[in-house]
mmCIF file of all heavy atoms in Angstrom:
data_model
loop_
_atom_site.group_PDB
_atom_site.id
_atom_site.type_symbol
_atom_site.label_atom_id
_atom_site.label_comp_id
_atom_site.label_asym_id
_atom_site.label_seq_id
_atom_site.Cartn_x
_atom_site.Cartn_y
_atom_site.Cartn_z
ATOM 1 N N MET B 225 -3.306 -0.372 3.415
ATOM 2 C CA MET B 225 -2.060 -1.001 2.960
ATOM 3 C C MET B 225 -1.102 -1.290 4.119
ATOM 4 O O MET B 225 -0.199 -2.118 3.993
ATOM 5 C CB MET B 225 -1.382 -0.139 1.891
ATOM 6 C CG MET B 225 -2.248 0.130 0.675
ATOM 7 S SD MET B 225 -3.223 -1.282 0.083
ATOM 8 C CE MET B 225 -1.967 -2.391 -0.480
ATOM 9 N N ASN B 242 4.756 12.490 13.596
ATOM 10 C CA ASN B 242 3.476 12.609 14.306
ATOM 11 C C ASN B 242 2.812 13.957 14.103
ATOM 12 O O ASN B 242 3.360 14.993 14.484
ATOM 13 C CB ASN B 242 3.702 12.432 15.812
ATOM 14 C CG ASN B 242 3.525 10.995 16.266
ATOM 15 O OD1 ASN B 242 4.215 10.554 17.178
ATOM 16 N ND2 ASN B 242 2.612 10.260 15.677
ATOM 17 N N PHE B 285 15.382 -1.235 10.202
ATOM 18 C CA PHE B 285 15.645 -2.093 9.028
ATOM 19 C C PHE B 285 16.160 -3.457 9.476
ATOM 20 O O PHE B 285 15.720 -4.498 9.007
ATOM 21 C CB PHE B 285 16.684 -1.446 8.099
ATOM 22 C CG PHE B 285 16.118 -0.385 7.197
ATOM 23 C CD1 PHE B 285 16.407 0.955 7.411
ATOM 24 C CD2 PHE B 285 15.314 -0.721 6.120
ATOM 25 C CE1 PHE B 285 15.893 1.944 6.571
ATOM 26 C CE2 PHE B 285 14.798 0.252 5.278
ATOM 27 C CZ PHE B 285 15.092 1.587 5.507
ATOM 28 N N ALA B 295 8.103 -1.672 10.133
ATOM 29 C CA ALA B 295 8.318 -0.853 11.341
ATOM 30 C C ALA B 295 8.205 0.635 11.026
ATOM 31 O O ALA B 295 8.626 1.095 9.970
ATOM 32 C CB ALA B 295 9.684 -1.156 11.946
ATOM 33 N N ILE B 419 9.534 14.684 47.336
ATOM 34 C CA ILE B 419 8.565 13.710 46.790
ATOM 35 C C ILE B 419 9.322 12.728 45.906
ATOM 36 O O ILE B 419 10.152 13.119 45.084
ATOM 37 C CB ILE B 419 7.474 14.431 45.966
ATOM 38 C CG1 ILE B 419 6.675 15.349 46.891
ATOM 39 C CG2 ILE B 419 6.575 13.444 45.244
ATOM 40 C CD1 ILE B 419 5.837 16.369 46.181
ATOM 41 N N ALA B 453 -3.015 11.157 22.492
ATOM 42 C CA ALA B 453 -4.040 10.622 21.592
ATOM 43 C C ALA B 453 -5.184 10.149 22.464
ATOM 44 O O ALA B 453 -4.972 9.796 23.619
ATOM 45 C CB ALA B 453 -3.483 9.457 20.783
ATOM 46 N N GLY B 480 -4.922 7.346 33.609
ATOM 47 C CA GLY B 480 -4.751 7.803 32.229
ATOM 48 C C GLY B 480 -4.939 9.303 32.113
ATOM 49 O O GLY B 480 -5.960 9.835 32.545
ATOM 50 N N VAL B 498 -0.002 16.658 36.753
ATOM 51 C CA VAL B 498 -0.303 15.229 36.662
ATOM 52 C C VAL B 498 0.171 14.515 37.931
ATOM 53 O O VAL B 498 -0.564 13.741 38.552
ATOM 54 C CB VAL B 498 0.353 14.607 35.408
ATOM 55 C CG1 VAL B 498 0.312 13.081 35.448
ATOM 56 C CG2 VAL B 498 -0.320 15.123 34.135
#
Side-chain angles (χ1 to χ4, degrees):
Chain B
M225 302 319 294
N242 267 146
F285 280 108
I419 296 165
V498 168

